[in-house]
Amino acid sequence: MLNGKVIVLGVTGGIAAYKAATLCSRLVQRGADVHVIMSESAKQFITELTLQTLTKNPVYSDTFDERDPSVVSHIHLADLADLVLVAPATANVIGKMAHGLADDMLTTTLLATTAPVMISPAMNVHMYTHPAVMANMETLVSRGVGMIEPGEGLLACGYIGKGRMEEPDSIVEVVERFFSERNSEPAVKLDKGGDHSMEANLLHGKKVLVTAGGTIERIDPVRYITNDSSGKMGFAIAKVAKQLGANVHLIAAHTDEAPPADLNVERVGSAEEMYEAVLRQFADSDIVIKAAAVADYRPAQVATSKLKKLGETMTLELVKTTDILENLGQRKSSQFLIGFAAETNSVEAFAREKLERKNCDLLVANDVSQEGAGFRTETNRVQIYDAKGLVLDLPLMAKEEVAEQLLKLAAERLGRRSS
Ligand code: PMT
């Protein structure tokens, strides 16, 4: 799977550095050409000789250790890499990366490379959840750095919690999946700079209908039922779809922020209003993506004047709203239908049940109980299912990147269908 791929492996100074040996060995076994760069503190935990022996390549740690006079080592490695993987990534290196510091061989290489970068954090649970570290990780994710989330369990420091570096075999799986998805991608690639002219044709001529935000179900003129959706996920999809050349119609319920510029935005309030708006656009849509959080129930009666405080308790009778997605699933002809599922438990089972019941082509499941995933966050962590099962299990990434992956998958499947 990794034949011919050059992986620059950054090893930084935490106890999990001992796992770097297994990781090197597994990557090499799968055909990768692995070049290790260690931080000075990593050398307290594992020797250069171990990693050199496993990779059959020199191990670097000193920026000024120029072994080959014909090249500048850190630029050479930066250019050579198909992927730079930092495992384990300490809080320190994450902080340096987030702030663009370059004070050793690894961080200079990281600044110099244009290759994709992934990190596999490992640290004490309190360090991992420290607001500074979380903010640094969010910064990296928003710049497109892939995050291989640490697992939970007994940490070397004695605490139980999140912070244990992902096991080498799982990291190798993520790396393999990354390259296999990349190989199956169309020749076009979104750059991170916002100029998406290269792939402007991927959805050219397609109408993409997107819903975003949380519906508002009125109780009386001053009160309503809603949910935590900010609209960020739906907005990201609409924005990227437009960058890919689609004609986008965005239907937005209650959201926290302004929708992307230069888009057709139709504002709605309740689930029923969204249903009507969606139906008006559905017939000539090619792809329909329901990222909105739609209320399942609404008050049976909407009071026309403000309800008065009367007794100690109050009962509100709720009735079911129309399930828009399910309804579209029954009506669809050629439309490619994508649903979302916001879950907190049994994610796969609920996601697959919704996919089938609502007759979707793809279903994007997000476990909204996870850090950085679901409502209001800049990032999301999703699994994408089709009728046969899991299609893509994406690491934590910026919502625009989730959108990019999802839209490329939809474009590819739509293309396959019409050919
Ligand atoms: O907006 P953000 O803050 O960025 O958060 C993003 C998100 C968490 C809202 C988004 O990623 C997400 O998961 N959206 C779907 C949330 C949801 O309502 O899930 P659900 O499992 O309740 O519904 C399943 C699907 O049916 C959804 O596509 C939903 O739009 C649709 N539905 C649900 C009820 C209903 N009456 N009509 C519907 O169409």
Side-chain angles (χ1 to χ4, degrees):
M1 283 291 288
L2 298 176
N3 266 345
K5 298 293 179 211
V6 176
I7 298 180
V8 170
L9 176 65
V11 181
T12 62
I15 180 64
Y18 81 91
K19 294 186 185 175
T22 313
L23 182 57
C24 273
S25 163
R26 299 281 196 275
L27 291 170
V28 170
Q29 280 164 17
R30 281 166 174 74
D33 180 17
V34 181
H35 296 257
V36 175
I37 306 178
M38 299 174 82
S39 68
E40 274 308 315
S41 42
K43 292 199 264 179
Q44 302 284 337
F45 296 94
I46 185 166
T47 70
E48 285 179 288
L49 185 60
T50 306
L51 300 174
Q52 179 176 302
T53 310
L54 289 166
T55 60
K56 312 273 187 297
N57 279 319
V59 171
Y60 286 87
S61 56
D62 178 358
T63 326
F64 305 103
D65 176 10
E66 300 290 6
R67 297 175 204 189
D68 176 356
S70 66
V71 293
V72 176
S73 299
H74 66 278
I75 303 293
H76 179 61
L77 284 174
D79 289 346
L80 207 60
D82 290 307
L83 173 73
V84 182
L85 169 66
V86 186
T90 57
N92 185 46
V93 80
I94 290 170
K96 285 188 199 175
M97 288 171 75
H99 293 91
L101 301 181
D103 63 353
D104 64 4
M105 177 71 180
L106 176 59
T107 46
T108 7
T109 309
L110 280 160
L111 270 195
T113 194
T114 55
V117 176
M118 282 184 193
I119 64 171
S120 180
M123 64 197 79
N124 162 273
V125 59
H126 294 152
M127 290 171 82
Y128 184 74
T129 51
H130 191 285
V133 176
M134 295 306 277
N136 288 337
M137 287 193 291
E138 286 216 6
T139 301
L140 293 182
V141 168
S142 70
R143 279 188 210 144
V145 171
M147 188 75 62
I148 304 173
E149 275 200 68
E152 284 186 39
L154 179 63
L155 305 175
C157 53
Y159 278 92
I160 293 176
K162 197 164 182 172
R164 200 171 60 182
M165 184 175 112
E166 189 52 282
E167 291 308 317
D169 284 334
S170 307
I171 297 178
V172 172
E173 270 177 38
V174 173
V175 170
E176 284 186 325
R177 207 181 311 126
F178 166 77
F179 281 116
S180 83
E181 277 162 19
R182 226 182 174 212
N183 292 342
S184 63
E185 275 175 7
V188 291
K189 173 98 186 88
L190 286 180
D191 60 37
K192 302 284 175 263
D195 170 13
H196 302 292
S197 51
M198 271 171 73
E199 60 289 333
N201 281 331
L202 196 58
L203 289 173
H204 179 71
K206 302 288 179 215
K207 176 171 169 180
V208 177
L209 175 61
V210 183
T211 68
T215 60
I216 283 181
E217 309 303 330
R218 282 261 156 229
I219 299 170
D220 69 12
V222 295
R223 302 180 180 97
Y224 55 78
I225 300 171
T226 189
N227 56 64
D228 278 330
S229 174
S230 64
K232 286 179 182 169
M233 190 66 247
F235 285 176
I237 294 169
K239 182 176 170 188
V240 175
K242 178 153 169 84
Q243 286 164 349
L244 292 172
N247 164 22
V248 178
H249 190 97
L250 173 62
I251 296 176
H254 180 255
T255 60
D256 281 355
E257 50 200 279
D262 302 330
L263 279 178
N264 299 324
V265 188
E266 187 175 351
R267 286 286 181 180
V268 294
S270 66
E272 288 315 303
E273 282 172 29
M274 181 173 278
Y275 176 51
E276 284 160 24
V278 165
L279 280 193
R280 282 193 294 272
Q281 302 298 327
F282 186 61
D284 64 345
S285 293
D286 297 290
I287 302 177
V288 180
I289 308 180
K290 292 236 52 256
V294 185
D296 291 321
Y297 292 89
R298 63 178 167 79
Q301 305 292 335
V302 182
T304 49
S305 51
K306 184 183 169 193
L307 291 175
K308 290 289 160 218
K309 186 164 56 181
L310 293 172
E312 282 307 308
T313 61
M314 178 190 168
T315 305
L316 198 60
E317 191 191 355
L318 301 177
V319 292
K320 255 191 177 166
T321 57
T322 305
D323 192 314
I324 307 169
L325 185 59
E326 192 170 338
N327 198 283
L328 299 182
Q330 288 158 5
R331 288 169 186 259
K332 80 173 181 189
S333 49
S334 60
Q335 296 86 353
F336 192 88
L337 194 55
I338 305 177
F340 268 72
E343 307 294 349
T344 53
N345 58 294
S346 308
V347 178
E348 175 167 359
F350 287 134
R352 295 187 69 175
E353 184 277 325
K354 281 179 187 165
L355 174 101
E356 197 184 329
R357 177 165 49 88
K358 303 193 183 196
N359 195 20
C360 297
D361 295 286
L362 292 174
L363 194 123
V364 184
N366 38 196
D367 181 346
V368 294
S369 65
Q370 276 191 32
E371 193 74 44
F375 296 102
R376 296 188 175 276
T377 51
E378 297 300 325
T379 53
N380 207 354
R381 165 132 174 61
V382 306
Q383 290 80 40
I384 305 179
Y385 294 92
D386 69 7
K388 289 192 191 139
L390 185 65
V391 181
L392 276 182
D393 181 2
L394 298 175
L396 187 71
M397 52 173 67
K399 281 183 172 164
E400 277 191 31
E401 285 197 296
V402 173
E404 184 185 334
Q405 297 285 339
L406 177 63
L407 287 162
K408 282 183 175 173
L409 182 63
E412 184 206 311
R413 298 222 163 173
L414 207 57
R416 243 195 265 163
R417 199 190 259 181
S418 53
S419 63

